[in-house]
Amino acid sequence: MTVTRGRLVVFEGPEGAGKTTQLRLVCDWLAAHQRPFTGVREPGGTALGNEIRRMLLEPGREMNARAEALLFIASRAELIAEVVKPALARGELVLADRFFLSTYAYQVVGRGLPFEEVRAANKLATAGLVPDLTILLTVPAAIRDARIVARGGADRIESAGDAFHALVERAFNDCADLAWQGAHPECGPIASIDAGGSENEVLDRVTSALTAKLPDLFPAKGDVAHV
Ligand code: Z5A
């Protein structure tokens, strides 16, 4: 029997946009409907990746921007080889909390690293794997800041300063543009979602985008099962 390759759906956006919350809600629905899936987050998700995550996010650790980019990419290489590709080969849906779009926003635009070189390093890590869909959550900085304050704690990247985070936010906003997506095929299709409002209001928008792009996995409202 031939197993159809699974699909890779990525949740992206600046910190506090609600990626982790929405990914968890979609995973809850998949589990409740006995649909096989694998949920991962970056950086991390493997023994090596978790060690890299600790180094990358440790407050106060000094790190060159190039080393930082390569560590994010190394964590991705391990995650793809150890977890993502095997799950896709089993025909599973893989849901990822961040992927290359984050490296683009934080390291290329935020840190100012040369795009083509970072893109080449990422290609080495992913072996050409492209997301089937990226859900990009966008919400004004003031709302995100309030959510981050309510959550508490700040890691090394979150503490990088307002100018850095303004660049990152602008980079994520640029990705919503179709011309940008055409010039960045390694990112795959991106659906930009307004992440303002309650968790359930955002979930409604997320599931509409999932249904529009992946109707075989996420049936429309009124069909047998809907998120
Ligand atoms: N990074 C990078 O630089 N380069 C890369 O290539 C990659 C990553 C892959 C990972 O941190 C850091 O690494 C990240 C980017 C960088 N750093 N920054 N800055 P992480 O994995 O620890 O954290 P994060 O991805 O930034 O998560 P986050 O800050 O928690 O954001 P989120 O996942 O989008 O938000 P959330 O956890 O779902 O929600 C945050 C809070 O808001 C929480 O208390 C929720 O209960 C609340 N929330 C969520 N949704 C709502 C709504 N709708 N209403 C009200 N409150 C809400």
Side-chain angles (χ1 to χ4, degrees):
M1 191 182 75
T2 327
V3 178
T4 314
R5 173 197 174 278
R7 250 70 68 79
L8 172 61
V9 174
V10 175
F11 286 71
E12 283 280 13
E15 53 284 358
K19 299 172 297 300
T20 309
T21 301
Q22 292 302 316
L23 194 146
R24 178 179 45 77
L25 292 171
V26 173
C27 288
D28 288 349
W29 179 85
L30 289 165
H33 290 83
Q34 284 93 42
R35 311 231 166 158
F37 71 93
T38 297
V40 297
R41 73 166 177 188
E42 282 203 14
T46 62
L48 177 64
N50 288 335
E51 285 187 48
I52 293 174
R53 179 181 177 89
R54 188 181 43 75
M55 289 191 267
L56 278 167
L57 301 186
E58 189 180 17
R61 183 188 278 269
E62 302 267 323
M63 195 177 295
N64 175 272
R66 287 171 188 264
E68 178 183 279
L70 289 168
L71 285 172
F72 278 115
I73 289 169
S75 171
R76 181 167 309 135
E78 188 75 358
L79 184 68
I80 288 176
E82 295 297 316
V83 182
V84 176
K85 283 212 163 157
L88 293 175
R90 292 193 299 271
E92 283 179 21
L93 170 64
V94 178
L95 299 163
D97 195 336
R98 297 192 182 275
F99 202 66
F100 177 60
L101 212 51
S102 284
T103 314
Y104 172 78
Y106 288 88
Q107 279 68 50
V108 173
V109 179
R111 301 288 193 213
L113 291 179
F115 174 59
E116 289 302 341
E117 291 168 35
V118 176
R119 175 193 250 171
N122 182 65
K123 190 173 175 194
L124 178 67
T126 60
L129 178 67
V130 173
D132 295 281
L133 177 65
T134 293
I135 301 284
L136 172 62
L137 297 178
T138 60
V139 66
I143 296 177
R144 291 192 293 102
D145 288 348
R147 289 179 186 174
I148 292 166
V149 169
R151 185 201 59 193
D155 62 41
R156 192 181 64 85
I157 308 274
E158 281 166 348
S159 313
D162 291 347
F164 172 79
H165 286 289
L167 286 171
V168 168
E169 172 138 41
R170 199 172 325 141
F172 276 122
N173 289 339
D174 289 348
C175 301
D177 181 63
L178 287 179
W180 187 96
Q181 292 174 34
H184 298 79
E186 63 281 350
C187 294
I190 299 170
S192 180
I193 307 284
D194 171 6
S198 70
E199 290 181 8
N200 281 335
E201 285 168 337
V202 182
L203 181 63
D204 264 351
R205 292 177 214 130
V206 168
T207 54
S208 296
L210 290 169
T211 299
K213 302 281 185 186
L214 302 169
D216 54 323
L217 295 175
F218 297 96
K221 263 191 178 130
D223 287 351
V224 190
H226 179 79
V227 183

